[in-house]
Amino acid sequence: MSKKYEKLAQDIVEKVGGSENVSTLTHCMTRLRFALNQNKKADQDAIKALDGVIDAIESGGQFQVVIGTHVEEVYEEVVKYIKHAENIDDKLSNEKNVSVFGKLIDFISGTFSPIVPAIAGAGMIKALLALLILFNVVSKASQTYYVINFMSDAIFYFLPFLLAYSAANKLKMQPCTGTCVGGDIASSESGPIANCGQ
């Protein structure tokens, strides 16, 4: 594993109050999410000033350090400097300093975060298609339009499965089991899956 972020990881752990102040640690797509024993021990301004840190905020009972898309690499280094690393987990249900609302927000954000890039990509394709139509490059009756439109809609067709897979990872259950449950729920609704045998 690269040591590129070793110094940054050391500085972050030091400035959140040391490893003994870290109760749990997880990360989303761009942020390290700390549940601290005492938030007042964290030096928010000093963390913001670190080279490699975009921002530091307190939200939903968590102390969040915004890193960027390379957050996973930083996370792997940070864990090395936390003494009880084997106890770090993204389940915050037992944390007294995190409200029920905070836990709910954490679950929702943790479930949707992995899917956001795919939804953003679909939106960009939709925008491209709109421009192609606006400048008369393609028409709504053309095969090109149908292909591009299908590409942009694909994420939404399979969204129940993707959400089920992501939620299963967040809940620490078997992803395949979660995906099957998502498929069962989707098939119980009216739609192509429910109607395929009719």
Side-chain angles (χ1 to χ4, degrees):
M1 180 61 64
S2 171
K3 301 294 183 181
K4 181 178 179 181
Y5 302 108
E6 184 174 9
K7 180 63 168 62
L8 176 60
Q10 285 179 308
D11 290 340
I12 290 174
V13 172
E14 177 187 342
K15 292 182 181 356
V16 295
S19 66
E20 65 279 358
N21 194 40
V22 179
S23 179
T24 64
L25 171 63
T26 184
H27 71 87
C28 60
M29 291 193 62
T30 60
R31 304 179 181 194
L32 294 172
R33 296 173 177 267
F34 292 90
L36 303 178
N37 295 319
Q38 296 183 51
N39 282 356
K40 63 182 179 181
K41 284 188 175 182
D43 191 339
Q44 190 169 350
D45 291 332
I47 293 173
K48 286 182 181 180
L50 291 175
D51 184 25
V53 172
I54 298 171
D55 198 4
I57 57 176
E58 286 187 46
S59 177
Q62 296 179 331
F63 188 83
Q64 303 179 14
V65 181
V66 184
I67 300 294
T69 54
H70 53 283
V71 65
E72 187 170 353
E73 297 171 61
V74 177
Y75 170 83
E76 290 175 1
E77 290 298 322
V78 169
V79 169
K80 296 177 184 178
Y81 296 97
I82 298 178
K83 294 178 182 178
H84 53 287
E86 67 275 9
N87 295 324
I88 292 177
D89 188 63
D90 62 353
K91 293 180 181 178
L92 302 178
S93 58
N94 295 321
E95 296 305 312
K96 294 180 181 179
N97 61 331
V98 180
S99 66
V100 174
F101 180 73
K103 296 170 190 174
L104 178 63
I105 293 299
D106 175 71
F107 174 74
I108 293 173
S109 64
T111 299
F112 276 90
S113 290
I115 304 171
V116 168
I119 295 175
M124 292 176 68
I125 296 174
K126 283 281 190 186
L128 173 63
L129 184 59
L131 289 173
L132 292 175
I133 294 171
L134 179 64
F135 292 106
N136 296 316
V137 177
V138 298
S139 69
K140 289 188 176 182
S142 68
Q143 289 296 319
T144 303
Y145 170 84
Y146 286 112
V147 170
I148 297 176
N149 191 53
F150 177 78
M151 290 169 59
S152 65
D153 286 341
I155 176 67
F156 302 106
Y157 289 138
F158 298 104
L159 191 59
F161 298 96
L162 296 174
L163 282 174
Y165 184 90
S166 182
N169 280 327
K170 183 67 178 174
L171 295 171
K172 298 295 184 184
M173 65 182 288
Q174 289 293 331
C176 289
T177 302
T179 305
C180 289
V181 171
D184 289 340
I185 294 172
S187 65
S188 68
E189 301 295 331
S190 60
I193 299 177
N195 296 330
C196 64
Q198 297 179 3

